[in-house]
mmCIF file of all heavy atoms in Angstrom:
data_model
loop_
_atom_site.group_PDB
_atom_site.id
_atom_site.type_symbol
_atom_site.label_atom_id
_atom_site.label_comp_id
_atom_site.label_asym_id
_atom_site.label_seq_id
_atom_site.Cartn_x
_atom_site.Cartn_y
_atom_site.Cartn_z
ATOM 1 N N MET A 124 3.327 -20.480 1.737
ATOM 2 C CA MET A 124 2.715 -19.613 2.743
ATOM 3 C C MET A 124 2.024 -18.436 2.066
ATOM 4 O O MET A 124 2.395 -18.017 0.958
ATOM 5 C CB MET A 124 3.749 -19.111 3.754
ATOM 6 C CG MET A 124 4.302 -20.205 4.641
ATOM 7 S SD MET A 124 5.213 -19.575 6.088
ATOM 8 C CE MET A 124 3.867 -19.219 7.232
ATOM 9 N N ILE A 125 1.012 -17.928 2.729
ATOM 10 C CA ILE A 125 0.219 -16.786 2.264
ATOM 11 C C ILE A 125 0.373 -15.655 3.267
ATOM 12 O O ILE A 125 0.327 -15.880 4.483
ATOM 13 C CB ILE A 125 -1.277 -17.152 2.157
ATOM 14 C CG1 ILE A 125 -1.495 -18.190 1.056
ATOM 15 C CG2 ILE A 125 -2.128 -15.927 1.930
ATOM 16 C CD1 ILE A 125 -1.653 -17.635 -0.327
ATOM 17 N N SER A 126 0.557 -14.440 2.760
ATOM 18 C CA SER A 126 0.573 -13.268 3.643
ATOM 19 C C SER A 126 -0.509 -12.295 3.200
ATOM 20 O O SER A 126 -0.770 -12.140 2.001
ATOM 21 C CB SER A 126 1.940 -12.566 3.595
ATOM 22 O OG SER A 126 2.216 -12.071 2.295
ATOM 23 N N VAL A 127 -1.139 -11.668 4.174
ATOM 24 C CA VAL A 127 -2.133 -10.620 3.914
ATOM 25 C C VAL A 127 -1.737 -9.417 4.757
ATOM 26 O O VAL A 127 -1.766 -9.481 5.990
ATOM 27 C CB VAL A 127 -3.558 -11.082 4.280
ATOM 28 C CG1 VAL A 127 -4.561 -9.963 3.993
ATOM 29 C CG2 VAL A 127 -3.934 -12.345 3.508
ATOM 30 N N ILE A 128 -1.353 -8.345 4.093
ATOM 31 C CA ILE A 128 -0.877 -7.149 4.787
ATOM 32 C C ILE A 128 -1.836 -5.996 4.502
ATOM 33 O O ILE A 128 -1.987 -5.591 3.345
ATOM 34 C CB ILE A 128 0.541 -6.751 4.314
ATOM 35 C CG1 ILE A 128 1.484 -7.958 4.314
ATOM 36 C CG2 ILE A 128 1.069 -5.618 5.171
ATOM 37 C CD1 ILE A 128 1.785 -8.512 5.672
ATOM 38 N N PRO A 129 -2.504 -5.463 5.508
ATOM 39 C CA PRO A 129 -3.422 -4.339 5.278
ATOM 40 C C PRO A 129 -2.679 -3.094 4.799
ATOM 41 O O PRO A 129 -1.450 -2.992 4.948
ATOM 42 C CB PRO A 129 -4.042 -4.098 6.667
ATOM 43 C CG PRO A 129 -3.740 -5.319 7.456
ATOM 44 C CD PRO A 129 -2.460 -5.868 6.916
ATOM 45 N N PRO A 130 -3.380 -2.126 4.253
ATOM 46 C CA PRO A 130 -2.740 -0.856 3.907
ATOM 47 C C PRO A 130 -2.144 -0.196 5.152
ATOM 48 O O PRO A 130 -2.623 -0.404 6.273
ATOM 49 C CB PRO A 130 -3.897 -0.009 3.352
ATOM 50 C CG PRO A 130 -4.956 -0.979 2.978
ATOM 51 C CD PRO A 130 -4.818 -2.127 3.932
ATOM 52 N N ASN A 131 -1.093 0.563 4.957
ATOM 53 C CA ASN A 131 -0.476 1.350 6.035
ATOM 54 C C ASN A 131 0.018 0.488 7.186
ATOM 55 O O ASN A 131 -0.069 0.877 8.352
ATOM 56 C CB ASN A 131 -1.476 2.401 6.557
ATOM 57 C CG ASN A 131 -1.964 3.316 5.457
ATOM 58 O OD1 ASN A 131 -1.204 3.682 4.564
ATOM 59 N ND2 ASN A 131 -3.239 3.684 5.503
ATOM 60 N N TYR A 132 0.555 -0.684 6.862
ATOM 61 C CA TYR A 132 1.020 -1.624 7.880
ATOM 62 C C TYR A 132 2.494 -1.914 7.639
ATOM 63 O O TYR A 132 2.863 -2.539 6.639
ATOM 64 C CB TYR A 132 0.200 -2.916 7.794
ATOM 65 C CG TYR A 132 0.338 -3.835 8.985
ATOM 66 C CD1 TYR A 132 -0.631 -3.872 9.962
ATOM 67 C CD2 TYR A 132 1.441 -4.678 9.106
ATOM 68 C CE1 TYR A 132 -0.511 -4.721 11.058
ATOM 69 C CE2 TYR A 132 1.573 -5.528 10.189
ATOM 70 C CZ TYR A 132 0.593 -5.543 11.161
ATOM 71 O OH TYR A 132 0.707 -6.381 12.254
ATOM 72 N N PRO A 133 3.400 -1.489 8.524
ATOM 73 C CA PRO A 133 4.841 -1.665 8.299
ATOM 74 C C PRO A 133 5.245 -3.135 8.275
ATOM 75 O O PRO A 133 4.848 -3.910 9.148
ATOM 76 C CB PRO A 133 5.486 -0.957 9.502
ATOM 77 C CG PRO A 133 4.406 -0.100 10.075
ATOM 78 C CD PRO A 133 3.117 -0.789 9.789
ATOM 79 N N HIS A 134 6.054 -3.503 7.271
ATOM 80 C CA HIS A 134 6.493 -4.883 7.147
ATOM 81 C C HIS A 134 7.721 -4.948 6.246
ATOM 82 O O HIS A 134 8.091 -3.978 5.595
ATOM 83 C CB HIS A 134 5.369 -5.756 6.581
ATOM 84 C CG HIS A 134 4.968 -5.373 5.189
ATOM 85 N ND1 HIS A 134 4.218 -4.256 4.910
ATOM 86 C CD2 HIS A 134 5.241 -5.944 3.987
ATOM 87 C CE1 HIS A 134 4.019 -4.163 3.605
ATOM 88 N NE2 HIS A 134 4.640 -5.172 3.022
ATOM 89 N N ASN A 135 8.329 -6.123 6.193
ATOM 90 C CA ASN A 135 9.464 -6.353 5.305
ATOM 91 C C ASN A 135 9.679 -7.849 5.176
ATOM 92 O O ASN A 135 9.444 -8.604 6.119
ATOM 93 C CB ASN A 135 10.740 -5.682 5.841
ATOM 94 C CG ASN A 135 11.832 -5.611 4.795
ATOM 95 O OD1 ASN A 135 11.554 -5.638 3.602
ATOM 96 N ND2 ASN A 135 13.071 -5.536 5.228
ATOM 97 N N THR A 136 10.099 -8.293 3.989
ATOM 98 C CA THR A 136 10.382 -9.698 3.731
ATOM 99 C C THR A 136 11.889 -9.879 3.610
ATOM 100 O O THR A 136 12.544 -9.137 2.866
ATOM 101 C CB THR A 136 9.694 -10.163 2.443
ATOM 102 O OG1 THR A 136 8.287 -9.920 2.544
ATOM 103 C CG2 THR A 136 9.924 -11.647 2.206
#
Side-chain angles (χ1 to χ4, degrees):
M124 292 194 82
I125 294 275
S126 63
V127 180
I128 312 293
N131 303 323
Y132 194 101
H134 64 285
N135 194 24
T136 303

